[in-house]
Amino acid sequence: IQWENVGKCGPTGQASAGFGRRVGGRGKNRQMRSLGLDVGSKTIGRAFGDEGGLIAMAFDVWRRKGHVEDAREIARQVQAEAVKAIVLGLPLELDGRVGRRARAVHKFIEVLEVELSSQSVAVGIHLWDERFSTAAAERTLLEADVSRARRKSKIDAVAAQVILQGWLDAQRNKLEANR
């Protein structure tokens, strides 16, 4: 696991309220594809990064079925979409400590790594501080005038988008700083 804790979703975090179902083609000019996950106790919000690594897009919300079944679904999607990086939101406590929810994400990562390894899937796993990602997602959906019922059904996917966008931006900033 590569630990990434270089930024967080704060009060100014922004995300688009769009929800795409088609994730992308299989062209030879594809660059690195990324998958963002907001792992909760009941659902996992999913978002994909574009092939250029610029924009994260909310995809869907997966109703949890247990670590093993969830890991199989993620591995299947990683293979189907040629994902090279998985970014999981790490729900740290407000003071930065690792609490119960963050330990649950670590446990899920252990199961996911076993599943990916058993299927010979090579993918980088990165953690991203997800504090305030749900608040940023809620604000984005409110600004887009999304109804309360629709917000509830999409909030985790948009939170995954906020998490992934933060990581993509940090990767791009690292590349630009090294030029």
Side-chain angles (χ1 to χ4, degrees):
I1 297 173
Q2 179 179 349
W3 180 270
E4 291 280 346
N5 193 18
V6 295
K8 61 185 174 191
C9 301
T12 60
Q14 294 295 313
S16 158
F19 298 96
R21 303 311 289 164
R22 175 106 173 98
V23 176
R26 299 259 178 255
K28 291 187 178 207
N29 294 330
R30 289 178 69 139
Q31 294 178 352
M32 185 177 82
R33 185 89 193 192
S34 52
L35 171 64
L37 301 174
D38 180 30
V39 180
S41 61
K42 296 179 182 175
T43 62
I44 298 176
R46 300 186 287 192
F48 283 95
D50 68 333
E51 287 85 359
L54 297 173
I55 300 170
M57 296 161 280
F59 181 65
D60 69 5
V61 177
W62 166 263
R63 179 133 329 262
R64 302 232 26 207
K65 297 176 181 166
H67 284 341
V68 174
E69 182 66 26
D70 298 341
R72 279 191 195 122
E73 168 63 13
I74 298 302
R76 183 199 62 74
Q77 203 160 38
V78 164
Q79 289 179 310
E81 298 300 332
V83 169
K84 298 297 180 205
I86 300 173
V87 180
L88 292 101
L90 186 65
L92 297 171
E93 301 293 331
L94 288 177
D95 63 4
R97 288 182 298 117
V98 173
R100 180 187 55 78
R101 293 182 334 128
R103 284 190 296 276
V105 169
H106 280 289
K107 178 65 179 161
F108 176 68
I109 290 170
E110 290 172 11
V111 175
L112 180 59
E113 286 178 319
V114 168
E115 184 64 31
L116 292 167
S117 178
S118 74
Q119 295 186 27
S120 300
V121 177
V123 62
I125 296 179
H126 310 274
L127 295 172
W128 188 257
D129 183 347
E130 74 163 38
R131 287 178 284 183
F132 307 111
S133 63
T134 301
E138 179 79 19
R139 190 173 42 259
T140 298
L141 292 170
L142 283 169
E143 289 172 2
D145 201 26
V146 175
S147 71
R148 180 177 294 161
R150 188 153 158 78
R151 277 196 316 266
K152 186 176 180 188
S153 71
K154 301 297 182 187
I155 191 79
D156 294 327
V158 177
Q161 177 182 352
V162 170
I163 291 163
L164 181 56
Q165 189 65 57
W167 183 81
L168 290 171
D169 291 346
Q171 300 313 298
R172 196 169 43 258
N173 289 340
K174 283 181 190 177
L175 287 173
E176 290 172 6
N178 290 332
R179 286 185 185 171

